[in-house]
Amino acid sequence: MDVGQMQRRLLDYSKTLFMEGYLDAQFCQLQQLQDESNPDFVVEVVSLFFEDSEKLLNDLTMALAQPIVDFKKVDAHVHQFKGSSSSIGANRVKNCCVPFRSFCEEKNADACLRCLQHMKQEYVFVKDKLETLFRMEQQIVAAGGSVPSMDVF
């Protein structure tokens, strides 16, 4: 496959991620902060998001497994997760947090557990999608091409 085909494939894949709601405009803004002086900026920021997310999901799992759930603590974790997912443009993950926080207010442990499972699922999806996106970008660069701009979405 030539570089032009790889670039078109990347743009098509990226467009799909936006159309299916995995990513939002914040991801494009993050990409715009990347330049020649820091070519791995987006990958580094998203990698930090992955690390933080794994910890937050584990913390949420443990907090909801307690005999007496501390809903303020759970809500604080969900609030943090909403902020970090929003900051990288992980739209579907961010959207899971809204009902989750409502169920924390209601102190509804069963509904919180359902939200946690949905959040974990959406997190795994977006992580897989972003890892695929980054692999596609690496292949283009390795083939001597440049990664096309995606700010047209």
Side-chain angles (χ1 to χ4, degrees):
M1 182 179 320
D2 73 7
V3 172
Q5 288 173 312
M6 292 165 65
Q7 290 170 325
R8 282 188 295 283
R9 203 177 97 206
L10 174 69
L11 288 173
D12 288 345
Y13 184 73
S14 300
K15 187 175 182 181
T16 300
L17 295 181
F18 286 90
M19 289 174 51
E20 293 178 357
Y22 287 103
L23 300 176
D24 62 23
Q26 183 61 35
F27 187 76
C28 289
Q29 291 179 351
L30 190 64
Q31 288 180 312
Q32 290 172 355
L33 297 173
Q34 184 167 290
D35 59 20
E36 290 89 30
S37 67
N38 195 354
D40 297 325
F41 177 74
V42 175
V43 171
E44 290 170 4
V45 170
V46 171
S47 294
L48 289 172
F49 166 72
F50 291 158
E51 289 173 26
D52 290 346
S53 296
E54 298 285 339
K55 182 184 180 319
L56 282 169
L57 289 170
N58 285 333
D59 290 348
L60 281 164
T61 301
M62 289 174 53
L64 287 170
Q66 299 304 310
I68 298 174
V69 175
D70 181 347
F71 286 99
K72 285 188 188 295
K73 186 180 203 177
V74 172
D75 185 58
H77 290 316
V78 175
H79 181 71
Q80 185 179 350
F81 201 56
K82 182 180 179 191
S84 62
S85 58
S86 178
S87 71
I88 68 147
N91 189 51
R92 285 170 55 163
V93 174
K94 175 192 73 177
N95 290 343
C96 289
C97 297
V98 176
F100 201 154
R101 293 196 71 201
S102 294
F103 290 128
C104 285
E105 277 184 39
E106 296 171 12
K107 298 183 181 348
N108 185 335
D110 289 337
C112 285
L113 284 168
R114 285 192 302 277
C115 284
L116 176 60
Q117 292 310 311
H118 185 227
M119 184 184 288
K120 285 179 177 180
Q121 181 180 25
E122 290 298 338
Y123 167 72
V124 168
F125 288 157
V126 80
K127 183 177 184 195
D128 179 61
K129 305 280 186 192
L130 286 170
E131 286 173 342
T132 299
L133 182 79
F134 296 148
R135 258 192 316 278
M136 293 171 79
E137 290 177 351
Q138 288 170 343
Q139 290 170 349
I140 291 169
V141 171
S146 61
V147 176
S149 173
M150 291 182 245
D151 54 10
V152 294
F153 308 119

